[in-house]
Amino acid sequence: MIVKDITKSLEELAPLAYAEDFDNVGLLVGDEKQEVTGVLVSLDTLEVTVDEAIENKCNLIVAFHPIIFGGLKSLTGKSYVERVVIKAIQHHIAIYAIHTALDNCFKGVNDMICEQLNLHQRQVLIPQSKTIKKLTTYVPKKHTQKVLDALFAAGAGNIGNYDHCSFTQEGKGSFLPNDEANPVVGENGKLQIEEENQIHVTLATHVEKQVLSALKTSHPYEEVAYEVSSLENTNQHIGIGMVGELEKPMDENDFLAHIKTVFKTGVVRHSNRLGNKIKKVAVLGGSGAFGIQAAIASGADVYITADLKYHDFFKAEAKILLADVGHYESEQYTKNLLHSYLTKKFPNFAIVLSQKNTNPIQYS
């Protein structure tokens, strides 16, 4: 097994196409063709993480956070980032980061938080826009089903809980092959009128390349006429944050005590208590101040996130309870998610869960 086999599987869970523009995801250190001896799954990649990988004979680290975020202008070991990269290279250890690709995945970071809180009826808090495309093409009638089957197999036509979705309309296509053409139907130099079907299918951005490949492979024509357009529709299954509901409403104070237990923290920073029962819960792992208005708009009673600044708490405006549980605390279960996923994908391979607590923040 090589590094690319592992990363390809991870990108089936969380396609890198949905990572935020500012992010640095994917294979950051190493050769994708390198044979893998073992995989260490961690939240961060620090020197102790590399040491742990060496100790467990793992030459691939799958981390949530990217160790390389900004540009590296030198590798002299003057910073912890440089020291990590140097040590990884010296020991032939590859490093892969998944970060906001997993944040925007429906079964990703925020779904894991919802799982810990036992929330039901989960929905994406901030759906991504411009991640849905529409393919329109024209196919001779007798070849229509063959082309559709190929498009569906490549991932087109999936809408929420439905697949094999398409729209077909009958019409007539015309073309005039020149002397260099090799037409499947018609003759060179003669105008051909062909009974055709116009096909429309939607597709997610990350499968566009394979869908177009399937179209060109399955289509009978020498030159395939098609167009791809980006839709403004938001994708209800791709986006950051999540909203769900508790099975039974909880008293506000009881809920704050509950999340201290769930997130294993002695401190929760929160806005003014409102005296309301907590039923609908919005969550966003990591720095989530930008999601406050979306949480309010969702009708949530509480918004659980991290890294809220002083003035962010004013944005509650007596409409919602804001709860900052800490950055590490909100994302701590992410490595368990990745470990579980890879273990199921590769049951007979060494997938090791990091035992290191990489939280840089301490409380006294």
Side-chain angles (χ1 to χ4, degrees), residues 18-20 22-23 64 99-106 108-111 123-129 235-243 282-292 294-295 303 305 331:
Y18 304 127
E20 299 296 330
F22 64 80
D23 207 1
F64 179 63
H99 206 207
T100 58
L102 193 63
D103 278 319
N104 283 307
C105 166
F106 193 82
V109 175
N110 297 292
D111 185 66
Q123 295 179 319
V124 172
L125 177 63
I126 307 175
Q128 274 199 3
S129 60
N235 195 323
Q236 299 303 312
H237 285 77
I238 297 173
I240 202 161
M242 194 159 275
V243 182
V283 304
L284 199 157
S287 303
F290 65 91
I292 292 174
Y303 177 46
T305 187
E331 296 174 339

Side-chain angles (χ1 to χ4, degrees), residues 51-216:
D51 290 337
E52 188 178 16
I54 295 168
E55 181 182 341
N56 286 279
K57 296 181 173 57
C58 296
N59 65 348
L60 171 61
I61 296 172
V62 172
F64 179 63
H65 291 128
I67 181 61
I68 303 172
F69 204 82
L72 279 177
K73 294 185 177 181
S74 63
L75 280 175
T76 61
K78 64 184 178 184
S79 69
Y80 81 94
V81 173
E82 292 179 17
R83 290 192 293 274
V84 167
V85 174
I86 290 171
K87 180 173 280 193
I89 292 172
Q90 287 174 336
H91 290 85
H92 304 286
I93 295 174
I95 301 174
Y96 181 91
I98 201 165
H99 206 207
T100 58
L102 193 63
D103 278 319
N104 283 307
C105 166
F106 193 82
K107 290 295 184 179
V109 175
N110 297 292
D111 185 66
M112 193 65 172
I113 295 175
C114 290
E115 194 70 24
Q116 302 305 311
L117 293 168
N118 196 26
L119 301 183
H120 306 282
Q121 300 179 12
R122 301 170 195 175
Q123 295 179 319
V124 172
L125 177 63
I126 307 175
Q128 274 199 3
S129 60
K130 298 182 179 179
T131 60
I132 304 174
K133 297 190 175 184
K134 181 176 74 171
L135 168 66
T136 302
T137 190
Y138 309 86
V139 188
K141 282 187 175 181
K142 64 181 179 180
H143 294 276
T144 298
Q145 195 56 52
K146 176 187 175 184
V147 172
L148 277 173
D149 288 344
L151 296 177
F152 295 149
N158 293 330
I159 302 175
N161 295 321
Y162 297 84
D163 53 32
H164 288 66
C165 302
S166 68
F167 181 80
T168 303
Q169 186 174 14
E170 294 184 359
K172 292 182 178 181
S174 67
F175 49 89
L176 196 159
N178 64 27
D179 292 339
E180 302 298 321
N182 184 27
V184 175
V185 294
E187 299 178 30
N188 298 78
K190 291 186 178 180
L191 182 66
Q192 176 72 19
I193 305 296
E194 186 70 18
E195 295 287 333
E196 294 181 339
N197 282 326
Q198 183 186 63
I199 295 173
H200 301 274
V201 290
T202 57
L203 58 137
T205 298
H206 73 280
V207 299
E208 180 179 358
K209 184 177 180 180
Q210 62 205 54
V211 167
L212 291 181
S213 176
L215 170 64
K216 293 170 183 176

Side-chain angles (χ1 to χ4, degrees), residues 253 255-270 273 324-330 332-333 357 359 361-364:
N253 289 325
F255 185 78
L256 287 170
H258 175 57
I259 61 177
K260 285 170 70 174
T261 300
V262 169
F263 294 102
K264 302 174 184 177
T265 179
V267 179
V268 173
R269 299 164 64 235
H270 60 84
R273 294 178 176 84
D324 183 334
V325 297
H327 195 118
Y328 174 88
E329 288 78 5
S330 70
Q332 63 185 289
Y333 298 109
N357 182 332
N359 190 358
I361 300 173
Q362 305 298 313
Y363 301 97
S364 297

Side-chain angles (χ1 to χ4, degrees), residues 288-321:
F290 65 91
I292 292 174
Q293 294 307 318
I296 292 172
S298 74
D301 301 305
V302 62
Y303 177 46
I304 300 171
T305 187
D307 297 344
L308 297 182
K309 296 180 180 179
Y310 176 83
H311 289 94
D312 292 328
F313 287 97
F314 288 117
K315 297 175 183 176
E317 296 194 270
K319 297 176 182 177
I320 196 169
L321 177 67

Side-chain angles (χ1 to χ4, degrees), residues 227-246:
E227 57 184 281
V228 178
S229 54
S230 294
L231 305 180
E232 292 295 325
N233 307 50
T234 54
N235 195 323
Q236 299 303 312
H237 285 77
I238 297 173
I240 202 161
M242 194 159 275
V243 182
E245 293 189 2
L246 295 168

